Amino acid sequence: MTTVPPLEISLMPGDGIGPEITDALLHVFSVLEPEVGWEIVPLGLRAHEEHGDALPPQTIDSLRRTGLGLKGPVQTPLIGGFRSPLVRLRETFQLYANLRPSRHWLPRDGAPPLDLVVVRENTEGLYSAMETHAPAGDDPQGLAIATCWNSRAGSERILRFAFDYALRHGRRKVTVVHKANVLKKLSGIFLETARQLHEEAYRGAFEYEEMIVDACAMKLVMEPQRFDLLVSTNLFGDILSDLTAGLTGGLGMAPGANIGREVALFEAVHGSAPDIAGRGIANPVALLLSAALLLDHAGRTASALRLRNAIALTLRHGVLTPDLGGEARCMDMAQAIVTRLV
Ligand code: NAI
């Protein structure tokens, strides 16, 4: 009989509610996958304060070694301050594919549940964040300038990921989201690559459509059922995936994955929620669903299914944190999930 070696995972609790939801996660995993070897490493504002770097070398080394990361949210200063360690991680490990599934976990009155996936390019576009100021009139910093790019190779890499994902997961329709009517080169290269790749290698494999990002935002609100899998460039994908998270229960329920060739990093879509940090009321589900994506990625599909079933049962039973309209605390929710792991 072959035994499956235990998983080694780099765990970054992060800032704000990060340590609380990480404790909840560790509690669930102590029953679900007790053999996991966790390497707890620093990332974010606290890492910056304690180690002088929001992404210390030990964190990079750990990820390079394990190839699998799970992170809590990190707090990044608005305007000025250090660069987002998450953006640095995406660059360092070329985590080019961002996967954000959104589905209804809570029962809805008669309405069919939504089940959407947003695939976002993770390394190019406006997130390149190469910015500078230039003078305008009397103001020496009156102009803010950002340089960014989308490449044909980068577009092809993410589109191929999205199209293959659609095939593997039985998605019926792929919507390519762009703004090529205005950004004729920047967004045009993405759209052109999508058309070509679809025509050459995926014709007939799924329903293919193209949509301008602003119209897409409206249609997502008015007719979300018409979508299945959306693929877009970095910034558009970021915004649309928060929108789909809002449609399906809010940020506390939205998982995410950043996938590269050698390293995959899993994280909740939400931020560090400073408004509720330290109160023990954060919803741990988004991080747990991100861990389920990690288990899928690592080939532990039975464990992933067990976890998702326990989460669904817990929610259906009405164990809800305040963001979902309930009164359960973060650890109550974790415990309720543990008791439903069958
Ligand atoms: P946020 O996602 O932290 O919070 C937005 C709202 O959602 C808040 O009312 C918060 O209480 C609520 N919320 C978020 N997650 C929740 C959870 N698990 N349970 C219950 N309620 C939850 O977004 P915000 O306030 O814009 O950003 C705060 C900080 O987080 C910023 O420093 C930002 O840079 C950072 N951030 C980090 C991200 C990451 O590490 N991936 C992603 C987004 C923001």
Side-chain angles (χ1 to χ4, degrees), residues 17 25 38 72 85 94 105 132 155 160 164 182 185 200 218 223 260 273 287 291 324-325 338:
I17 58 171
L25 171 109
W38 298 102
Q94 282 295 298
W105 288 90
T132 186
S155 298
R160 207 176 268 287
D164 285 342
V182 175
K185 292 195 168 57
E200 285 173 6
M218 183 199 67
E223 291 176 79
L287 187 66
L324 301 176
V338 164

Side-chain angles (χ1 to χ4, degrees), residues 2-326:
T2 52
T3 47
V4 189
L7 292 176
E8 294 281 311
I9 303 175
S10 308
L11 181 64
M12 292 143 270
D15 303 312
I17 58 171
E20 300 163 46
I21 55 176
T22 303
D23 284 349
L25 171 109
L26 288 172
H27 181 52
V28 173
F29 267 69
S30 67
V31 179
L32 179 70
E33 283 273 344
E35 309 277 278
V36 169
W38 298 102
E39 265 187 34
I40 301 186
V41 284
L43 185 81
L45 180 63
R46 229 171 86 197
H48 176 75
E49 288 163 0
E50 289 173 10
H51 302 269
D53 189 350
L55 172 56
Q58 72 218 67
T59 302
I60 295 185
D61 291 346
S62 169
L63 278 164
R64 193 160 278 137
R65 210 180 59 71
T66 63
L68 280 179
L70 189 56
K71 68 168 272 297
V74 295
Q75 195 168 327
T76 316
L78 288 176
I79 311 177
F82 58 83
R83 252 187 109 217
S84 160
L86 179 56
V87 174
R88 286 171 60 198
L89 274 173
R90 288 172 180 162
E91 285 170 4
T92 306
F93 293 113
Q94 282 295 298
L95 306 175
Y96 67 94
N98 190 304
L99 184 67
R100 291 184 173 180
S102 290
R103 59 174 263 203
H104 273 122
W105 288 90
L106 288 165
R108 308 198 308 146
D109 305 330
L114 274 182
D115 180 1
L116 304 174
V117 178
V118 177
V119 175
R120 157 190 172 196
E121 203 293 323
N122 227 3
T123 56
E124 302 191 332
L126 264 174
Y127 272 66
S128 323
M130 293 173 66
E131 301 181 295
T132 186
H133 280 120
D138 293 341
D139 183 349
Q141 297 201 328
L143 275 184
I145 303 169
T147 310
C148 66
W149 67 85
N150 286 323
S151 68
R152 206 177 298 283
S155 298
E156 186 180 330
R157 186 169 65 164
I158 191 66
L159 286 157
R160 207 176 268 287
F161 177 93
F163 292 174
D164 285 342
Y165 182 94
L167 285 180
R168 271 204 321 277
H169 293 85
R171 295 278 163 179
R172 71 194 145 80
K173 182 174 181 182
V174 174
T175 307
V176 176
V177 185
H178 65 92
K179 186 74 185 174
N181 53 328
V182 175
L183 300 169
K184 290 177 191 289
K185 292 195 168 57
L186 187 71
S187 203
I189 198 168
F190 180 73
L191 181 59
E192 233 171 60
T193 310
R195 279 185 187 166
Q196 200 175 342
L197 185 65
H198 173 250
E199 196 58 36
E200 285 173 6
Y202 296 88
R203 202 171 167 72
F206 41 73
E207 190 185 335
Y208 170 91
E209 72 172 353
E210 298 164 356
M211 199 172 289
I212 295 173
V213 63
D214 33 337
C216 180
M218 183 199 67
K219 286 190 184 157
L220 268 171
V221 173
M222 313 256 317
E223 291 176 79
Q225 313 287 354
R226 72 184 298 297
F227 294 96
D228 193 5
L229 183 148
L230 301 96
V231 55
S232 195
T233 44
N234 208 335
L235 184 62
F236 299 157
D238 188 24
I239 297 168
L240 292 179
S241 57
D242 267 29
L243 201 163
T244 55
L247 289 173
T248 51
L251 283 173
M253 302 292 292
N258 302 276
I259 297 173
R261 302 239 187 267
E262 270 118 42
V263 172
L265 178 64
F266 298 81
E267 58 164 352
V269 170
H270 63 72
S272 60
D275 52 337
I276 57 165
R279 291 169 53 197
I281 57 166
N283 183 350
V285 168
L287 187 66
L288 287 166
L289 290 173
S290 308
L293 290 177
L294 181 152
L295 291 169
D296 283 338
H297 180 83
R300 306 290 214 270
T301 42
S303 248
L305 187 65
R306 259 179 95 200
L307 178 54
R308 289 194 183 99
N309 284 343
I311 291 171
L313 284 172
T314 302
L315 294 167
R316 250 181 263 144
H317 196 77
V319 183
L320 305 173
T321 41
D323 58 306
L324 301 176

